[in-house]
Amino acid sequence: MAKWMSVAQVKEKIEESSAEEVTARYLEVIGKSKINGYVTVSDKALEQAKKIDEEGHSGPLAGVPIAIKDNISVVGLPNSCGSKILEGYVPPFNAHVIEKLLAAGAVVLGKTNMDEFAMGSSTETSHFGPTSNPWDLERVPGGSSGGSAAVVAAGEAPFALGSDTGGSVRCPASFCGIVGLKPTYGCVSRYGVVAYANSLEQVGPLANNVEDIAVLMDVIGGYDRKDSTSIDNKTEYQKALVDDVKGLKIGVPKEFFGEGIHPDVEKAVWDAIHKCESLGATWKEVSMPNINYALASYYIIAMCEASSNLARFDGTRYGFRESAENWHAMVSKTRADGFGTEVKRRILLGTYALSAGYHDKYYLKALKVRTLVKQDFDKALSEVDLLMAPTMPNPAFKIGEKIEDPLTLYLSDINTCPINLAGVPSISVPCGFTDGLPVGLQIMGKPFDEPTVLRAAYTFEQNTDYHTKRPPEVA
Amino acid sequence: MITKEDVEHIGWLARIEINEQETVEYMEKLNSVLGYFGQLDELPTEDVAPTYHVAELYNVFREDVVEECLQQETVLANTENKQDGAFRVPKIG
């Protein structure tokens, strides 16, 4: 059995042999892994696959294995969010996306490593240690869905689910040379996903190719009444897979090609834009003047929402608890010892920014800047069909290189976080290499216009071979 | 600029115990990030409305119907600190 397979190939293999055999093969590859991509491997995966063989499941993903980021609840599997504070916690309910995957016949291989509570761009802040990038084990896979991206890139799962708050699906997709989609806000239910910054985050698929992204979106997308921010918008994602960009107007926002961008990244992205031009699209430069303020606005909003969302972790009902003589000391010690440094830093900053006297200066100001950023997207996308830019300004950096300086690490999200502020869809597809490390092209679209985003990504992929490149053998 | 006293106060508000050495470390790193946030001051926003949420949703209603909820033993399954069907915590104060 080939190590890297598309979902269609996995389904063929299941027809030829069985779901049990296919799952067993993935578990064997995972067993030899050197990348620390999984934090839990499911001991029920084989049983689940066998049941599908016996019952002759007819769902669109019957027997197809999938890896799940460890902030998405799966009954019976520990849900850690990469944190000590959730030690031993096993969710009593499935996330909405998991219910949908199980109904489609998917087999959950396990839970993947992540930056603690999805806060980070490198998967180094996990309580379970960093994940390695399959292209270079000394480098980060990106984050925060680094485990999900790395296991797909290493052939340890055909596809995976991640979550994207400020780029956490697209960043690791770019660093690991795979495809990752951040859907329009409201397209995919967040019910059962542990909240970090709820007005920004979305569950998103990671896969080896655009077609598999569409397959997964057709399963997980759609309205969920249990999520009050879910929007009823019916989209057929696989129907968007058309190899044709003739007549499409592409906008190239100059602010996304700012200072500090790696010259090879810039060249690879421009080559990709010119490739689309040669296939019949047109492009023009557009300006989004407030983008330079998006990063600060994003981090203030994310930290404020985090300080509120993470208040629930107090050691009372589940997870790690520190013993103390009274309630206040118990909660304060539990949170001091249970959370990692970066999570505490963000909770403290969020608490400060919301505290008396500072609310207007930071939080309200950030929300107003968000309006300006959204207006930039509205204006640009009224002139063109899509925007194209680099996903990350640089290729994957070395483990330990940026972790001590939070501001430097935050700056790496400069091209991805504006998208979450505006809530628009955005995909990262492989478009080149620099010194053997993958480079990602980011394609952004109008709200709910995933079909055009997927169409452009699919056309680019069908006419190039970057998505077929695999990392050197590491398992 | 955040002072050591500010860090201690924020730690109290956030219910996170911070020791003496950490107070200094947090003070330095938080000030560096807040310095970066200060760039927003240069952007005039007096006449701009805030966007709390990008999806323009207001109230989402449903019929007031009793539905199945988690059983008490399921809710208590993740803790060893339980007594008489409730969570056990140390005394307040």
Side-chain angles (χ1 to χ4, degrees), chain A residues 88-90 92 185 199 225 228-229 231 290 292-293 295-296 299-300 316-318 321 324-328 330-333 335-336 344-345 347-349 351-352 361-362 364-365 367-368 370-372 374 404 406-407 410-411 422-423, chain B residues 1-2 6-7 10-18 22 26 29-30 32-34 36-37 39-46 48-57 60 62 67 70 74-75 78-79 81 87-93:
Chain A
Y89 169 66
V90 182
Y185 186 85
S199 83
R225 69 183 194 88
S228 64
T229 58
I231 294 168
N290 298 298
N292 296 332
Y293 299 96
L295 191 72
Y299 271 105
I300 293 170
T316 301
R317 288 142 297 166
Y318 43 77
R321 181 198 281 198
E325 68 285 0
N326 66 55
W327 158 265
H328 180 88
M330 186 273 277
V331 173
S332 297
K333 281 178 192 289
R335 287 164 64 81
K344 283 191 276 192
R345 202 182 279 148
I347 292 174
L348 293 172
L349 274 162
T351 304
Y352 178 70
K361 177 174 168 55
Y362 293 109
L364 189 63
K365 182 83 185 183
L367 294 173
K368 289 180 169 190
R370 179 182 197 167
T371 305
L372 298 175
K374 190 172 178 299
E404 287 305 317
L407 199 52
Y410 300 167
L411 285 168
Chain B
M1 285 287 281
I2 288 188
D6 289 332
V7 175
I10 307 162
W12 182 83
L13 286 174
R15 299 292 187 273
I16 295 175
E17 193 178 81
I18 301 171
E22 288 171 334
Y26 278 123
K29 298 222 160 127
L30 300 193
S32 136
V33 177
L34 286 171
Y36 180 75
F37 290 170
Q39 64 167 264
L40 295 187
D41 293 341
E42 59 192 61
L43 200 58
T45 53
E46 290 76 30
V48 180
T51 299
Y52 288 91
H53 218 271
V54 76
E56 287 171 16
L57 289 166
V60 178
R62 67 165 173 82
E67 294 181 11
L70 291 173
T74 310
V75 173
N78 273 295
T79 185
N81 300 293
F87 295 101
R88 193 177 60 226
V89 291
K91 66 183 178 190
I92 310 277

